[in-house]
Amino acid sequence: MNSHEKFRTYEVFFILFAVIFYVVRRLFGIAHDFDVDIEYLERIPLPNHVIWSGLASYDQYLNNIFPTIAAAVLFTAAWFVFHYFFFPAIKQKNYDISTVLWMVFVVVLLLASCFIYKEYKLFWRFRYDVHGNPIGFKVFSLFRKLYVLTDAFASIIIIALYEVVAQLYYYTADLFEKERQPKQQFLNNLILFLALASISLFTLFGEVANLIVGLTGLVIGLTQILLIVGLHHLSFKIVIPYFAQINYSKKNELVIPMLWLFVYGLFNIILYLLWYRIANTGFYFGLVILPHLLGFFSALVRWLFFQEKKQLQTQVFQKSAELITLRSQINPHFLFNALNTLYAVALKENAEKTSNGIQKLGDMMRFMLHENHQERIPLSKEIEYLENFIEIQRMRLDESHDIEIRVNIQQLDYEIYIAPMLLNPFVENAFKHGISFRKPSWIYITLTFDAQKLYFKVHNSLHPKNENDTEKQSGIGLDNVQKRLELIYPQRHTLEIQQSEQDYFVSLTLGIF
C-alpha cells in the first residue's frame, strides 16, 4: 500500500475529527459569548425580566446547537459523497446516470445544510436607547432564500478546492512511487503538511461565517480563484520561462527585465494608493497581494519540480531524432545516389573533383557521427554540413537542365550555438520536392542573424513526387523538426510555412540569445 492509499484510509477519520472539534469549539465559543453578554447587562444593572424578555424567542438547543450540528453533518456527508463517489467517477470518465445522481445528491445535501442553518439559526445583539446605552437584547435571523443558494454554491467551491489539493497530493505521491525522486517526496510532504496545517488552524481559530458571507463573499471568492488561476498560468507560461532563459552574467540582457520589474512595482504602488483612498486595505491584500503570491509561487513550485520531466522528454526526443536522422540521412538510397554521382563524375572529370566530392561526403558522415549527438553545436558546424550537402546535391544535378540554386549565408563574426540538424531538414525537403529534370526548378536559401535572432529562409519550386518514389519518404520530416523546436526553443522560435501548387516557402526565426 503506497502513501496515497494510506492517506485515503485515514483521511476520512481526520476530516471527521476536524469537523467534530470545530463544532464543539464553536458551540462552546457561542455559549461563552452569550454568558459574557448576559453578565455585561447584569453589571449595568438591568432587571432580569428586561434582560430575558428580549431572549424569549431564543432557544439555545433549537437555535444554536441543532442547526450547527445538522449543518456540519450534512456538509460532511456532501464532502464524503463528492470525494469518494462523484469525483472518482468523473476522473474515470464515467458519465452515466449514477454519476449524475451522485452530483444531485451532493447538491441536495449542501442545500439542506445551508437551509437548516439559515432557517433555525438565530443571533442576538444589544438593543440601545436614544443615548446609546444598552437596554436589552434583540433576536434576529439571517434567513434569505438568496443566501441559501449562494452559500450552497460557495460550499461546492470549498469542497472543489479541497479536491484540487487532494488530487495534487495524490499525483505527487504516485509520481514519487514511480520515479523515487527525493524532491518529489519533499513536494508531496510539503503539500500534505500545508493542507493539514491549514485545516488544523482553521479548526482551532477559523469560522465558516468568514468563508461564506452571502453573495458579496461569493463574488470575492470567485474573483480570487480566477485571479490565482490566471496569474498561475501567466507566471508558468510566460513570466518564469522569460526570466529563466536570461543570461544574468550579461548586463545588457538585464535592462529589459529590470524595466519590467520597475513598471510592475510602480503600477502596484499606484494601485495601492488609489485603493487605500477608496477602500479597506484588507480588500487590497485579498484581491491583489494574495492572488499574486499564491499564483506566482504555485507556478514556481510547478516549474521547479516538474520542469525536469519536460527536460527528460526533450532529451529522449532528441535521441530519437538523432537515430531517425542517422537512418534518413545516411541511408542506402542516399549513399547509392551519392556514390553513383561520384562515379559518373570520375568518368567525365579528373580525380581531383572526385576526391573533393568524397571528402565532402566524409565530412558529412563525420558530422553525423560526432557532432549530431551534442545538445548544442557551433553554427559554423551546421553551416559546414549544410554547404557540403548542397555541393553534393549540385554535383549530381545535370547543369544542362534549367535548375537554379542560390545560397546566401551571412558571414560569421562570432560563434553562435544552436541545436544540431535544425536547418538541413528544410534544405533536404527543398531538394526532394523542388528539383525536376523535366521542368524549370529553383531553390533559394538565405541564412542571416543579428545579436538576438537567427533568420533562415528556404524558397523552392514544388514538384510533387510519385507515390512509388522511395526518396519521398526519407528524411526526419518537418513534423519532427517542429516538435524539436517546441521542446528545445519554447516561445523562442517562429516557424512559418507557406505552400502553393508552384512553390514552397519556409521561414524560421530562432532566438539565439
Side-chain angles (χ1 to χ4, degrees), residues 137-417:
F137 286 107
K138 179 181 180 180
V139 175
F140 63 97
S141 171
L142 292 179
F143 179 83
R144 303 289 189 279
K145 293 179 180 179
L146 179 62
Y147 287 177
V148 173
L149 294 177
T150 56
D151 288 1
F153 189 71
S155 300
I156 293 177
I157 293 177
I158 293 173
I159 293 176
L161 287 176
Y162 177 91
E163 195 65 41
V164 169
V165 177
Q167 292 301 322
L168 181 60
Y169 171 78
Y170 301 154
Y171 173 76
T172 55
D174 293 339
L175 194 63
F176 173 71
E177 292 293 332
K178 293 178 182 178
E179 301 181 6
R180 290 291 177 178
Q181 294 290 329
K183 67 180 184 180
Q184 293 167 355
Q185 185 181 30
F186 170 78
L187 179 60
N188 181 249
N189 293 335
L190 178 63
I191 294 172
L192 179 61
F193 171 77
L194 292 176
L196 296 180
S198 300
I199 295 174
S200 300
L201 288 174
F202 180 80
T203 301
L204 292 170
F205 307 106
E207 292 184 23
V208 174
N210 294 334
L211 294 178
I212 305 175
V213 287
L215 186 59
T216 302
L218 178 62
V219 172
I220 293 175
L222 288 175
T223 304
Q224 287 177 318
I225 293 172
L226 291 175
L227 287 174
I228 292 170
V229 173
L231 290 169
H232 173 92
H233 183 78
L234 180 67
S235 300
F236 184 76
K237 293 291 185 180
I238 298 177
V239 177
I240 296 177
Y242 174 76
F243 282 92
Q245 52 84 29
I246 293 175
N247 187 348
Y248 291 93
S249 62
K250 297 182 179 180
K251 294 182 179 180
N252 61 323
E253 294 190 13
L254 298 178
V255 175
I256 295 179
M258 293 299 293
L259 181 62
W260 275 110
L261 289 175
F262 174 77
V263 173
Y264 175 76
L266 183 63
F267 170 77
N268 275 274
I269 291 174
I270 295 174
L271 183 63
Y272 175 77
L273 293 176
L274 292 175
W275 203 298
Y276 181 78
R277 294 178 63 88
I278 63 176
N280 192 312
T281 55
F283 281 95
Y284 176 81
F285 176 83
L287 292 178
V288 179
I289 301 299
L290 184 62
H292 276 73
L293 291 175
L294 293 178
F296 177 77
F297 282 108
S298 62
L300 183 62
V301 170
R302 180 183 173 191
W303 173 272
L304 291 176
F305 284 90
F306 297 106
Q307 186 65 11
E308 182 181 6
K309 186 176 182 180
K310 182 179 179 181
Q311 293 174 351
L312 291 175
Q313 289 177 342
T314 302
Q315 294 175 5
V316 170
F317 190 86
Q318 283 185 275
K319 294 301 180 182
S320 176
E322 291 169 12
L323 293 176
I324 298 173
T325 302
L326 287 171
R327 295 193 199 101
S328 62
Q329 299 293 338
I330 308 178
N331 59 68
H333 183 69
F334 174 79
L335 291 178
F336 180 79
N337 282 344
L339 291 175
N340 278 344
T341 299
L342 296 177
Y343 178 75
V345 172
L347 294 179
K348 296 191 300 182
E349 304 290 340
N350 54 41
E352 182 179 354
K353 191 171 182 179
T354 304
S355 62
N356 185 42
I358 294 174
Q359 182 181 9
K360 292 183 182 299
L361 181 60
D363 291 340
M364 289 179 63
M365 296 183 69
R366 188 178 303 109
F367 174 89
M368 297 297 297
L369 294 174
H370 298 290
E371 303 290 344
N372 193 40
H373 71 281
Q374 301 292 330
E375 182 179 353
R376 294 288 189 275
I377 63 169
L379 179 60
S380 58
K381 294 287 186 180
E382 184 83 3
I383 293 175
E384 181 182 353
Y385 179 88
L386 194 64
E387 291 175 337
N388 288 334
F389 179 84
I390 295 173
E391 285 303 313
I392 289 181
Q393 294 295 331
R394 285 182 186 272
M395 293 175 66
R396 75 182 184 90
L397 298 176
D398 191 340
E399 295 179 358
S400 64
H401 291 88
D402 189 5
I403 299 174
E404 181 182 10
I405 300 175
R406 294 182 189 174
V407 181
N408 179 23
I409 298 179
Q410 181 178 339
Q411 187 70 29
L412 282 169
D413 297 327
Y414 54 91
E415 198 59 84
I416 298 171
Y417 289 84

Side-chain angles (χ1 to χ4, degrees), residues 1-10 170 173-174:
M1 182 181 294
N2 57 29
S3 57
H4 171 179
E5 295 171 341
K6 290 179 180 178
F7 179 79
R8 287 184 70 89
T9 302
Y10 301 106
Y170 301 154
D174 293 339

Side-chain angles (χ1 to χ4, degrees), residues 122-139:
L122 294 180
F123 302 87
W124 72 88
R125 65 184 178 205
F126 291 134
R127 290 188 299 111
Y128 297 91
D129 59 19
V130 293
H131 302 291
N133 299 316
I135 57 174
F137 286 107
K138 179 181 180 180
V139 175

